[in-house]
Amino acid sequence: MSFYEDLVMQTQMNYSRYYSLYASGKTPYVLSKKTALPYEKQIDRLVKEIQEADCVLIGGASGLSAAGGGDFYYEDNDSYRKYFGKYAKKYHFRGAFDGMMHQWKSREEFWGYLATFLYTTQTAGIRKPYQDLNHLLQGKDFFVLTTNQDTQFVKIYPEDKVAQIQGDHRFFQCARCCTDETWDAVKPVAKMVKAMGEGTAVPKEMIPRCPHCGGEAFPWVRGYGNFLQGKKYEEQYENVSRYVLEHKDRKILFLELGVGRLTPMFIQEPFWNLTLSFPKARYIAVNNQYDFLPKDIEGKGMVIVEDIGRVLKDAAERSR
């Protein structure tokens, strides 16, 4: 097991131990009561911390994509209607994930919905918060750790600079995990969407199948099925582990963006522990809801409670 994966396993045990607390939107950590800086000074400090850091580990989560318009997962809003309008009209789903949990009467319609879901993220342009973040990182030594599966980061950066520990919408796997292989999902998804047209189901013969066992394929993502934790998965953890260990004695900034309360064990809490452990480490989080800064690292960190899109836009403009 790699260094970072071991950290995640430790925090998952903590999550299980205090599940009711986490489920209520809280944390078992003792939090700082330090008064936050005024917003403009927070932006100044964010820019300065990035500029003065020797290296930056970005932890990008769902709030980052949501801030740029990828907010169709949990609610029936304008974004959901734009991409999933025919399903919203027919089934009255309240967001993309609602449809993923639906008990479909046929596999053809299930795959129609799933293909629509994947096509939406596969073909999306680079969202504005990602562009602003990219500007802030110009000339820096950095690495990206993300729980997002929507391919935004790999549209900007080389694969070896991004660890996608929760999967990637660009790949299929065997739903039964009969093989450790993953394969392209982009072309099959585009063909399914084209064949479906204005309908809500794909032709039966287009349902993706495993080339080894003949069973159904499934997106290589955690959350809806039997997530393949094989070679590709281990490579993601090995890459981020290598980056962290190679930079542990440098002035490293852990920059957390958009972590919610469902998955604090993948980015947030490991970042807290690493900030406490590494002598020159710094920590900044941007979150539009939660002002969670452990007391143990209050002298090394800051939380900006504001819309992530606004923060990154203002910081990018300030750095120009």
Side-chain angles (χ1 to χ4, degrees), residues 3 26 75-76 85 134 142 146 157 164 197 219 253 261 280:
F3 172 77
K26 299 177 182 179
E75 57 183 306
D76 180 7
N134 183 51
F142 71 90
T146 183
Y157 305 122
Q164 300 178 100
L253 172 63
R261 300 316 300 150
K280 298 180 182 179

Side-chain angles (χ1 to χ4, degrees), residues 139-158:
K140 301 303 297 186
D141 178 348
F142 71 90
F143 188 86
V144 175
L145 169 69
T146 183
T147 51
N148 294 342
Q149 302 154 340
D150 61 6
T151 76
Q152 283 286 300
F153 278 117
V154 291
K155 288 174 179 173
I156 311 175
Y157 305 122

Side-chain angles (χ1 to χ4, degrees), residues 188-241:
V189 162
K191 290 179 180 178
M192 282 189 279
V193 169
K194 183 178 180 180
M196 184 166 44
E198 295 303 312
T200 57
V202 302
K204 184 176 182 178
E205 64 272 14
M206 297 191 76
I207 294 175
R209 303 245 167 224
C210 173
H212 296 276
C213 71
E216 276 195 23
F218 201 78
W220 184 63
V221 296
R222 185 191 297 276
Y224 319 119
N226 195 15
F227 182 45
L228 176 63
Q229 297 183 187
K231 180 180 178 182
K232 185 186 291 290
Y233 171 84
E234 293 298 338
E235 285 175 348
Q236 309 305 306
Y237 273 109
E238 288 168 3
N239 289 341
V240 66
S241 296

Side-chain angles (χ1 to χ4, degrees), residues 2-17:
S2 63
F3 172 77
Y4 198 89
E5 187 177 3
D6 185 56
L7 277 177
V8 170
M9 293 298 292
Q10 292 176 37
T11 54
Q12 281 182 320
M13 288 189 287
N14 196 54
Y15 186 86
S16 298
R17 187 177 300 118

Side-chain angles (χ1 to χ4, degrees), residues 14-31:
N14 196 54
Y15 186 86
S16 298
R17 187 177 300 118
Y18 297 102
Y19 176 76
S20 60
L21 199 61
Y22 283 104
S24 66
K26 299 177 182 179
T27 176
Y29 286 78
V30 177
L31 299 177

